[in-house]
Amino acid sequence: MSSSAVNDDTLFLGIDGGGTKCRSCLVTASGDVIGEGLAGPANPNHGGLNKAIPSITDAAEQALVAAGYTRKDFNRVVVCAALAGVNIPSTFNAMKEWQHPFADWYVTTDLHGACLGAHGGHDGAVIVCGTGSCGFVNVKGRSELFGGHGFHLGDKGSGAWLGLEAVKAVLEAYDGLAPATVLTEAVKSEFGVSGLDIVERLNKASSSEFASLAPSIFAAADSGDAVAISIVQDGASYIDALARKLLAMNPPRFSMIGGISAPLKKWLSVEVAEKVEPPLEQPELGAIHYAKECYSAKTAEMIA
Amino acid sequence: MSSSAVNDDTLFLGIDGGGTKCRSCLVTASGDVIGEGLAGPANPNHGGLNKAIPSITDAAEQALVAAGYTRKDFNRVVVCAALAGVNIPSTFNAMKEWQHPFADWYVTTDLHGACLGAHGGHDGAVIVCGTGSCGFVNVKGRSELFGGHGFHLGDKGSGAWLGLEAVKAVLEAYDGLAPATVLTEAVKSEFGVSGLDIVERLNKASSSEFASLAPSIFAAADSGDAVAISIVQDGASYIDALARKLLAMNPPRFSMIGGISAPLKKWLSVEVAEKVEPPLEQPELGAIHYAKECYSAKTAEMIA
C-alpha cells in the first residue's frame, strides 16, 4: 500500500488504543515529537471497528493538525496502532485488513506497544494492571502474551476483577454465608446501594465501574479487613505468577504499568517486586518504535 | 381488582416462570388439574416485562384451552406467577402492578413456588441448583431467600458458575499459570475451541451456555482431575453453607431441585446430604397453593 521510500519526509504516528481512550503521537524520521492527540475508545473487540476506527483517525488527525498538517497528509504518515483487543485473532485480522488512508499501516497489541515504550524500544517485559490485567514479554524477536482474556473470563488481579470479587463477597456476607466485611461500606459509599439493591445496580455494570472500587479494596486490605486481604492476596498471587512467567524468559528489563500496579506491588513476592523498574516512555511511542522497525524492514526488502 | 367470591366456579392457575421457559397449570377449586401449558422465557428481570408477560398469558391461555375454555375466561381465573427475577424489588413491583386480565393476580418468587410445590403446600426449604443457584426457606409464615444474585454477581455452585470457573481455569492452564486439566478437552469438545479462540467464542456466552459444561466438569472431577475437583468442591462448599443456613431455621422438609442437584449431592457434607428429601410437586402447583392461600385470605377479609 505504500510507495514511499524511507527518507527525511516520512512521518511516523503511534497510536495507543484502549477501551476508554486512544492516544496518538506524531514524530519525524529523526525522532522529534511534533504532535499529539487524544480521542475516544479504540478497542475493536468491544464496540467493533465502527467505533475503533473513527477514534484512531480522530487521534491521528489531531496529532497532524498540532504539527501543522491536515487529514490530507494521512498518505505521508506511517502508522502503527497498538490496540487492546487485537490479541483476538479475528479482531487482529479485521484491523490489519482495514483499507486505511495512511502511507503504511501496522497493527499490534496494546501490550506490545506498552512494552516497547516501557523499555525505550528495546527488549523487556511488562505487566499491565489497570481495569484489566495481562503480561507481555518481548525478547530477541520472540514475544509472548499471557492473560488479557477480558473481564468475563479472566483479567485476574485487575481493578475490575478485584471489584467484582469484592461485590460477590459483600453479597455473600449479606446472606450470612461469608464473613462480614468493611467492603459492604465501600460498596455503599461507591455505588450508593446495599443488600439486594446491589444486584440491581451492578448486574450489568461495566468493568470500569467495578474497577472504581479498587482503591477502597486496597484501603480495606491495608486496614486489616480479612475478606479484602484474601481477595487482594488471591489477585496478587496471579499477578506474581504472571511476572514469574515473564521473568523466566530473561527480559533485560521488567515494568508494571496501569492504575493497580502501584498499590499491588507490596502484595507481590519480594523477588518479583524488587525486579520492577519504571517505564521509560509512553505506549504510543512504543508503537512508533514498532512502526519504524516494520517500515525499515519493508523498505529494505523493496530496495533489495 | 377481583369481585368474585370463593366458590366452586373459581379456577386457579399457577405459573412457574424462568429464564428459559414458563409452565402453567390450571386447577378447579376442588384441586383437580384440568389443563397445562408451556411457553417461552418469563424472567422479567432478563428481557423485561415485554418478554415475560406474553409468555405468561400464552402459558395461561394454553392451560385454559386444554380445559375447554378460552382467553375470554381469563377474568374468572385467580393466577399466581412464581417468577425468576422478582427477588429484585423493582422487578417485583413492576410485575405486581401489571394491569392483568385475570380475576386476581399474585406474584411471588420462583423459589417460593418451588418450595411450596416441593413440600405439597407446606413449610419447608429448597435449594434450586440448575443454571443458577439459590436457597429458600418458608417456615411458620416467615420466608427467607439466600443467593439468587445472578450469573454475573453470584449463583455460586450453579451449572453456569461451574462452567465459567472451568473456562477460566482452562485459560489459565493455556497460559501455563495454572495446572493442566482435562477440562481443556471438555471445553474443546463442548464448544469446539481451544486457546485464545475460547475467549472469542465465550466472551459473551450466556449462563445457559456455561451451564452446558457442567456434566463434563462433574465427570472430570469423578475421574480425579485436580482442577475440576477443586472447582466442584468450591461450589459445593457454598451450596453446603446455603443448606446449613436454611436448615438452621428448622424447616420440616428440605429438598434440592434443578439439574445440578443430583451430581452435586455426593460433594456435600454427609449431614446436609442425608437431609435431602425428594420434591413432592412441581413449582407451578406450588404457585397454586400460594394463589389459593392469598385469595382465601383476601375473600375472608372482604366478607369480614
Side-chain angles (χ1 to χ4, degrees):
Chain A
M1 298 175 195
S2 160
S3 58
S4 332
V6 181
N7 60 46
D8 287 350
D9 290 342
T10 308
L11 297 171
F12 292 91
L13 183 91
I15 299 272
D16 174 46
T20 53
K21 59 186 182 301
C22 171
R23 290 186 183 280
S24 66
C25 183
L26 184 68
V27 303
T28 60
S30 58
D32 297 323
V33 173
I34 55 173
E36 292 180 321
L38 174 64
N43 177 339
N45 202 38
H46 298 159
L49 270 63
N50 291 342
K51 206 168 171 184
I53 285 172
S55 296
I56 289 166
T57 52
D58 184 9
E61 184 173 8
Q62 287 180 35
L64 280 165
V65 168
Y69 297 100
T70 73
R71 217 178 163 91
K72 289 180 184 163
D73 299 297
F74 271 178
N75 64 3
R76 51 180 296 198
V77 184
V78 174
V79 179
C80 173
L83 304 176
V86 301
N87 53 320
I88 307 298
S90 65
T91 308
F92 176 81
N93 290 332
M95 284 308 301
K96 195 164 176 283
E97 286 157 20
W98 171 44
Q99 295 301 307
H100 65 84
F102 306 116
D104 213 345
W105 166 248
Y106 301 99
V107 177
T108 192
T109 62
D110 54 342
L111 275 180
H112 191 197
C115 191
L116 285 167
H119 308 302
H122 301 292
D123 284 1
V126 285
I127 283 178
V128 183
C129 199
T131 301
S133 72
C134 46
F136 187 87
V137 60
N138 189 35
V139 175
K140 293 176 185 164
R142 181 183 167 203
S143 68
E144 284 206 49
L145 166 66
F146 303 97
H149 302 140
F151 177 47
H152 295 303
L153 302 179
D155 283 11
K156 193 164 176 179
S158 69
W161 182 90
L162 290 167
L164 177 61
E165 293 304 307
V167 169
K168 286 180 184 174
V170 166
L171 285 168
E172 286 188 37
Y174 169 74
D175 272 347
L177 296 172
T181 164
V182 301
L183 294 172
T184 297
E185 282 310 305
V187 166
K188 192 170 187 181
S189 163
E190 183 71 28
F191 302 110
V193 285
S194 58
L196 287 181
D197 291 335
I198 293 171
V199 178
E200 194 170 2
R201 170 67 183 82
L202 296 174
N203 200 16
K204 290 163 187 167
S206 67
S207 54
S208 310
E209 282 192 284
F210 283 104
S212 69
L213 204 57
S216 313
I217 299 166
F218 283 109
D222 287 342
S223 79
D225 184 80
V227 173
I229 289 172
S230 167
I231 292 170
V232 170
Q233 280 177 338
D234 190 16
S237 76
Y238 173 83
I239 300 296
D240 210 74
L242 192 58
R244 288 170 192 274
K245 192 86 190 169
L246 300 173
L247 293 168
M249 289 178 72
N250 296 312
R253 286 186 97 246
F254 169 56
S255 295
M256 289 182 67
I257 57 183
I260 302 302
S261 295
L264 199 62
K265 196 173 165 187
K266 66 180 263 199
W267 298 90
L268 301 175
S269 65
V270 175
E271 309 93 86
V272 166
E274 70 183 12
K275 292 223 166 59
V276 180
E277 294 184 72
L280 302 175
E281 296 173 353
Q282 294 299 311
E284 56 272 26
L285 285 167
I288 288 173
H289 286 296
Y290 188 66
K292 285 185 171 176
E293 190 186 312
C294 294
Y295 193 66
S296 296
K298 187 178 179 177
T299 46
E301 199 178 88
M302 286 167 73
I303 291 162
Chain B
M1 297 176 195
S2 162
S3 58
S4 333
V6 180
N7 60 46
D8 287 349
D9 290 341
T10 307
L11 298 171
F12 293 91
L13 183 90
I15 298 270
D16 174 46
T20 53
K21 60 188 182 296
C22 171
R23 290 186 183 280
S24 66
C25 183
L26 184 70
V27 304
T28 61
S30 57
D32 297 323
V33 174
I34 55 171
E36 292 181 320
L38 175 63
N43 177 340
N45 202 38
H46 297 161
L49 270 63
N50 291 342
K51 206 168 171 183
I53 284 172
S55 296
I56 290 166
T57 52
D58 184 10
E61 185 174 8
Q62 288 179 35
L64 280 165
V65 168
Y69 297 99
T70 73
R71 215 178 165 94
K72 287 180 185 162
D73 299 297
F74 272 176
N75 64 1
R76 51 180 297 197
V77 185
V78 175
V79 179
C80 173
L83 303 175
V86 302
N87 54 321
I88 306 299
S90 65
T91 307
F92 175 82
N93 290 330
M95 283 309 301
K96 195 163 176 285
E97 286 156 20
W98 171 44
Q99 295 302 307
H100 64 85
F102 307 115
D104 214 344
W105 166 248
Y106 301 99
V107 177
T108 192
T109 62
D110 54 342
L111 274 181
H112 191 195
C115 190
L116 285 167
H119 308 302
H122 301 293
D123 283 1
V126 285
I127 284 179
V128 183
C129 199
T131 302
S133 74
C134 45
F136 187 86
V137 60
N138 188 35
V139 175
K140 293 176 185 164
R142 182 185 168 202
S143 69
E144 284 207 49
L145 165 67
F146 303 97
H149 302 137
F151 177 48
H152 294 304
L153 302 179
D155 283 9
K156 194 164 174 177
S158 69
W161 183 90
L162 289 168
L164 178 61
E165 293 304 307
V167 169
K168 286 180 183 174
V170 166
L171 285 168
E172 285 189 35
Y174 169 74
D175 272 349
L177 296 172
T181 164
V182 301
L183 294 172
T184 298
E185 282 310 306
V187 166
K188 192 169 185 180
S189 164
E190 183 70 27
F191 302 111
V193 285
S194 57
L196 287 181
D197 291 335
I198 294 171
V199 178
E200 192 170 2
R201 170 66 184 80
L202 296 173
N203 200 16
K204 290 163 187 165
S206 67
S207 54
S208 311
E209 282 191 284
F210 283 104
S212 69
L213 204 58
S216 314
I217 300 166
F218 283 109
D222 286 341
S223 78
D225 184 80
V227 173
I229 289 171
S230 167
I231 292 170
V232 171
Q233 280 177 339
D234 190 15
S237 77
Y238 173 82
I239 299 297
D240 209 73
L242 192 57
R244 288 170 190 276
K245 192 85 192 169
L246 300 173
L247 292 168
M249 289 178 73
N250 296 312
R253 286 186 98 247
F254 169 56
S255 296
M256 289 183 67
I257 57 183
I260 302 301
S261 295
L264 200 62
K265 197 173 165 187
K266 66 180 264 197
W267 297 90
L268 301 176
S269 64
V270 175
E271 308 93 87
V272 166
E274 70 184 10
K275 293 224 165 59
V276 180
E277 293 185 73
L280 301 176
E281 295 172 356
Q282 294 299 312
E284 56 273 24
L285 285 167
I288 287 173
H289 286 295
Y290 188 66
K292 286 186 170 175
E293 190 186 313
C294 294
Y295 193 66
S296 298
K298 187 176 178 177
T299 46
E301 199 176 88
M302 285 167 72
I303 291 162

